[in-house]
Amino acid sequence: MGTLSLNQRAALLSVLMLVVGLLIWEAAIPAQKAAEELTEYERLTGAGSAKAGVPPPSQVFAKAWEQLSNPFYDAGPNDKGIGIQIGYSIYRVLTGYLLAALIAIPFGFLIGMSQVAYKAFNPFIQVLRPISPLAWMPLALFIIGDSEASAIFVIFICSIWPMLINTAFGVAGVREDWVNVARTHELGPIKTAFTVILPAAAPTILTGMRISIGIAWLVIVAAEMLVGGTGIGYYVWNEWNNLDLTSVVFSILMIGVVGMLLDAMFGLLQRRVTYAE
Amino acid sequence: MKPYLSVEKLTQRFPDGTGGELTVFENASFRVEKGEFVVILGHSGCGKSTIMNILAGLADPTSGVVIMDGQEVKGPSLDRGVVFQNYSLLPWLTTLKNVMFGVKARHPEWTKKQVEDHATKFLAMVGLEGDVIHRKPSQLSGGMRQRVSIARAFANHPKLLLLDEPFGALDALTRGTIQDELLNIWGQMEQTVFMITHDIDEAILLADRILLMTNGPKARVAESVEITIPRPRNRTEIVEHPNYYAIRNHLVQFLGKRSKELAGQPTEAGQTNAPETVRIDLTDPADDPEDKRPALKAVNS
């Protein structure tokens, strides 16, 4: 054991915890009796018919195998593969998120450059930011009139604030010395923005973008439960209505995995722009 | 002949926080000739850094003008390169890219190859070669960072190079090495340099002329001391030179005593306010064509 590295030991411990956890879960679920083991009385009263219950991990794995081996099938509005559902959710998240980035980053840049603008906009940002994104939903549905676009709007409105605030904060905090370097080299405002301020503020901006994508992924599930039709959020709710708890547990896991991947992507980007002083 | 750089009656006042005004320096005037290495010495608070920022165009004086090469200084310019005390390298760029950043700003029409070659050449002049130039500033020691900063400034051939306590954050040994490198690169470039320092020995080693400032508030440039030690200078040899300690004593006396005595003296109307030129030369008067020159004389220019 002494020869294992820190990471190896941690990985070993993780696997151990997973196995123990799954075993406890599996053991905690009472097995359902097979049809031939039922007594006459049980058969007559219907006590033996399949009851909905929390599925054991073995069933979830079987479900996952089944779903993941054919993720893109489409058998009508209420029966689509998990890949299609996640695809819809990612499409909505990315559309809303990119629109938010397109506005938040340039706007945050301008606010960060001017102390007056920073102070003038701050009260509005502080009031709008804590509003639960779903609270916008009725208004969005009424004004936009389209549920698909409303879901995207909700993503837009929830991911704009961390990006806006972090961009403004990052730009405002760029060291005076670096700006002076740009000034003594006669760089124009546009050139200064791109060659000095943007790289200097990039780690803070990326932090905001990473927070935003995390929030957007949290919100899309709830938004799709409301809006319905497609997407992973709708899928979870639909399977709950079908009392298919195995699918519910499976989709919960998938939400976690996709969220982790999105975060890891931004983590990678963040590492690329981070610099040591 | 008109001086290359002329600073006329520079005054800087700041609000003192209690409604009044604090005059950091008043009617500070001095001149710098082309190719000269001028060092300004003075206690903290006499406004050396403010003067530096005004010369760089990063700050505006309350009154007074700076004229360089026949033009009034307004705003920052590539003609006035600055080496800041804290290096001011861009930490997300490699050493080479940092120097290229400056070269590109100076010569936007150059190809990438030209820019890179020029930057590499100047890094080599301060002793940075090989793998080191592809490292980020955070991976360099303080001394190496300041060399990069010096290379970036020299690579741009500014008309005036401003050094704001460039060695202030370095240990004494590193400081010595980089002073030698600075002398070396300056010797090759015929660059006009204006430098701030707190270090008397550093000033004597590097300067053609040392400007002495009185204490603030209402500081002014009181004296201009010529360094009568021939170049090339070497830190171990200049201490043997007969003029070295005479000059050094004069500087120590000024900073220790006279900077305080002269402080806050109101400047008389009509006075040119140019600093008093001091020339100390103890070398054999027979070598001097204008013989019978007194060993110590003060001349009002």
Side-chain angles (χ1 to χ4, degrees):
Chain A
M1 284 300 271
T3 56
L4 292 179
S5 76
L6 186 76
N7 285 341
Q8 285 169 322
R9 275 182 286 162
L12 209 67
L13 201 61
S14 294
V15 170
L16 195 74
M17 285 194 277
L18 180 68
V19 169
V20 171
L22 288 177
L23 281 175
I24 293 173
W25 179 7
E26 184 84 42
I29 311 287
Q32 304 224 359
K33 287 182 183 173
E36 49 276 15
E37 291 170 16
L38 297 173
T39 62
E40 188 88 7
Y41 175 74
E42 280 173 328
R43 240 173 298 170
L44 280 171
T45 55
S49 61
K51 260 197 288 187
V54 176
S58 52
Q59 268 183 41
V60 176
F61 283 131
K63 185 78 188 176
W65 180 255
E66 178 201 321
Q67 284 283 347
L68 292 176
S69 49
N70 183 17
F72 297 110
Y73 75 89
D74 188 350
N78 270 343
D79 192 8
K80 294 188 204 304
I82 188 80
I84 292 186
Q85 305 287 24
I86 289 178
Y88 272 111
S89 297
I90 291 180
Y91 154 74
R92 286 184 189 125
V93 163
L94 289 187
T95 311
Y97 179 82
L98 289 178
L99 283 173
L102 232 52
I103 291 175
I105 294 173
F107 190 55
F109 221 93
L110 293 178
I111 297 180
M113 299 278 260
S114 148
Q115 275 199 0
V116 178
Y118 196 108
K119 288 195 177 204
F121 281 105
N122 199 38
F124 299 104
I125 295 173
Q126 295 308 331
V127 170
L128 292 173
R129 190 174 58 106
I131 297 172
S132 163
L134 291 173
W136 292 99
M137 188 64 104
L139 200 61
L141 284 169
F142 179 75
I143 293 173
I144 303 172
D146 175 57
S147 63
E148 174 77 26
S150 298
I152 291 173
F153 172 78
V154 166
I155 296 303
F156 167 83
I157 204 79
C158 78
S159 43
I160 200 166
W161 308 117
M163 284 196 269
L164 184 66
I165 292 166
N166 267 48
T167 306
F169 183 75
V171 168
V174 172
R175 291 228 326 245
E176 183 94 31
D177 302 331
W178 300 335
V179 179
N180 280 345
V181 169
R183 289 180 67 195
T184 52
H185 284 89
E186 284 185 37
L187 298 191
I190 303 286
K191 204 124 194 248
T192 305
F194 280 100
T195 57
V196 177
I197 296 174
L198 190 63
T204 324
I205 296 174
L206 251 293
T207 306
M209 293 179 80
R210 196 174 173 185
I211 296 169
S212 278
I213 197 80
I215 292 177
W217 189 246
L218 289 180
V219 168
I220 193 65
V221 175
E224 284 171 345
M225 283 180 180
L226 278 178
V227 171
T230 46
I232 190 76
Y234 167 73
Y235 179 83
V236 176
W237 203 249
N238 194 37
E239 295 305 327
W240 157 238
N241 285 335
N242 293 340
L243 269 183
D244 183 354
L245 286 173
T246 315
S247 291
V248 169
V249 174
F250 165 64
S251 47
I252 288 173
L253 287 176
M254 287 310 292
I255 293 169
V257 169
V258 173
M260 185 186 77
L261 290 177
L262 285 174
D263 185 67
M265 257 167 51
F266 279 88
L268 213 68
L269 275 176
Q270 202 179 15
R271 265 203 295 285
R272 290 199 51 181
V273 299
T274 300
Y275 52 84
E277 276 186 46
Chain B
M1 203 190 92
K2 275 193 170 172
Y4 188 60
L5 174 78
S6 166
V7 175
E8 309 282 357
K9 300 199 168 181
L10 221 51
T11 302
Q12 183 69 275
R13 293 183 228 274
F14 293 117
D16 64 359
T18 57
E21 267 189 335
L22 178 73
T23 305
V24 185
F25 48 83
E26 194 167 45
N27 292 331
S29 304
F30 59 90
R31 288 158 180 208
V32 176
E33 298 303 330
K34 192 168 187 172
E36 236 186 341
F37 196 128
V38 174
V39 169
I40 192 159
L41 265 177
H43 288 278
S44 306
C46 69
K48 300 188 299 288
S49 287
T50 313
I51 291 185
M52 178 70 75
N53 282 338
I54 292 168
L55 290 182
L58 294 170
D60 290 318
T62 309
S63 68
V65 282
V66 177
I67 294 164
M68 190 178 80
D69 212 8
Q71 284 193 321
E72 192 182 344
V73 165
K74 275 265 179 276
S77 153
L78 277 163
D79 285 336
R80 279 163 277 123
V82 190
V83 173
F84 298 95
Q85 181 178 4
N86 48 15
Y87 328 128
S88 286
L89 299 173
L90 304 174
W92 54 89
L93 297 178
T94 62
T95 298
L96 177 63
K97 293 258 169 69
N98 261 292
V99 180
M100 284 171 68
F101 175 90
V103 180
K104 246 187 288 185
R106 183 77 183 185
H107 306 282
E109 74 288 354
W110 281 12
T111 63
K112 191 167 181 275
K113 178 91 175 72
Q114 277 176 301
V115 172
E116 193 173 329
D117 289 348
H118 191 73
T120 314
K121 188 178 111 192
F122 276 83
L123 280 166
M125 282 168 88
V126 291
L128 294 174
E129 284 173 286
D131 283 348
V132 184
I133 66 170
H134 298 296
R135 285 199 214 150
K136 298 265 173 75
S138 58
Q139 296 163 298
L140 301 178
S141 64
M144 279 168 144
R145 287 187 213 179
Q146 196 54 288
R147 285 182 192 166
V148 180
S149 193
I150 289 170
R152 181 174 68 187
F154 273 93
N156 274 2
H157 294 276
K159 286 182 179 171
L160 174 66
L161 181 59
L162 301 162
L163 305 172
D164 186 359
E165 283 186 59
F167 311 124
L170 304 177
D171 64 90
L173 290 176
T174 314
R175 190 187 278 227
T177 327
I178 303 183
Q179 283 164 357
D180 291 342
E181 243 134 35
L182 178 65
L183 271 181
N184 173 37
I185 195 169
W186 177 76
Q188 297 175 46
M189 303 273 309
E190 295 182 358
Q191 178 75 58
T192 313
V193 178
F194 183 81
M195 173 171 156
I196 293 181
T197 184
H198 279 131
D199 184 333
I200 291 176
D201 296 298
E202 177 173 288
I204 300 174
L205 173 68
L206 298 173
D208 291 319
R209 215 143 50 78
I210 296 177
L211 300 175
L212 293 171
M213 283 189 85
T214 62
N215 289 1
K218 293 193 180 171
R220 63 192 173 91
V221 181
E223 282 187 10
S224 158
V225 181
E226 284 181 35
I227 307 301
T228 46
I229 300 174
R231 292 185 191 268
R233 296 179 196 152
N234 174 310
R235 78 182 55 261
T236 47
E237 283 163 19
I238 57 165
V239 293
E240 312 283 347
H241 196 275
N243 291 345
Y244 184 83
Y245 279 101
I247 294 170
R248 195 176 191 283
N249 287 343
H250 180 82
L251 298 178
V252 171
Q253 285 296 329
F254 182 93
L255 292 175
K257 232 167 73 190
R258 294 182 44 234
S259 66
K260 226 176 298 163
E261 292 165 4
L262 292 170
Q265 279 185 9
T267 38
E268 295 140 44
Q271 200 182 325
T272 57
N273 238 79
E276 204 175 304
T277 302
V278 176
R279 186 184 163 88
I280 300 168
D281 197 349
L282 302 180
T283 46
D284 190 1
D287 291 344
D288 201 325
E290 300 168 59
D291 60 343
K292 302 283 187 247
R293 184 180 275 237
L296 167 64
K297 77 172 189 179
V299 185
N300 278 318
S301 61

